[in-house]
Amino acid sequence: MSSAESERREVFYSGRVQGVGFRYTTRRIAADYAVTGHVRNLPDGRVELVVEGASGELDRFLAALAAEMSAYISGAESRTSAPRGTYDGFDIRL
């Protein structure tokens, strides 16, 4: 995948997103897509997701995550930038 096709998205989810298996669900769903990155809880109660991959693949991954966790998400703030290519896989960070 060329860097022109891929991108980085940082998504900050708010709502009841901690203590409900959000990070583990995100990692499980990520395994079905060609994406790399990490997910972690933030001290302010939000969850941070940083993910890299092809734009269409990111769209599908984020849609699958939103569909499965919609009962817990009340808001999502997203930023898109150039990929950094620093991830080998997808993991949960503490």
Side-chain angles (χ1 to χ4, degrees):
M1 168 175 27
S2 76
S3 60
E5 299 174 334
S6 62
E7 60 188 39
R8 174 187 185 95
R9 294 196 198 162
E10 296 174 63
V11 186
F12 296 89
Y13 292 100
S14 56
R16 196 172 138 236
V17 291
Q18 291 189 14
V20 294
F22 196 99
R23 294 173 298 158
Y24 297 96
T25 300
T26 303
R27 183 177 63 187
R28 178 180 51 77
I29 293 171
D32 293 333
Y33 295 88
V35 298
T36 60
H38 74 265
V39 62
R40 68 178 176 155
N41 286 342
L42 296 175
D44 65 5
R46 296 180 301 159
V47 169
E48 174 193 54
L49 169 64
V50 178
V51 65
E52 295 185 356
S55 179
E57 192 76 349
L58 293 178
D59 289 342
R60 289 184 289 278
F61 164 63
L62 293 172
L65 177 60
E68 184 145 345
M69 299 305 289
S70 63
Y72 304 104
I73 299 169
S74 64
E77 177 188 327
S78 180
R79 294 191 292 246
T80 302
S81 60
R84 297 183 189 163
T86 55
Y87 298 106
D88 291 329
F90 192 92
D91 61 12
I92 295 172
R93 293 200 176 161
L94 302 176

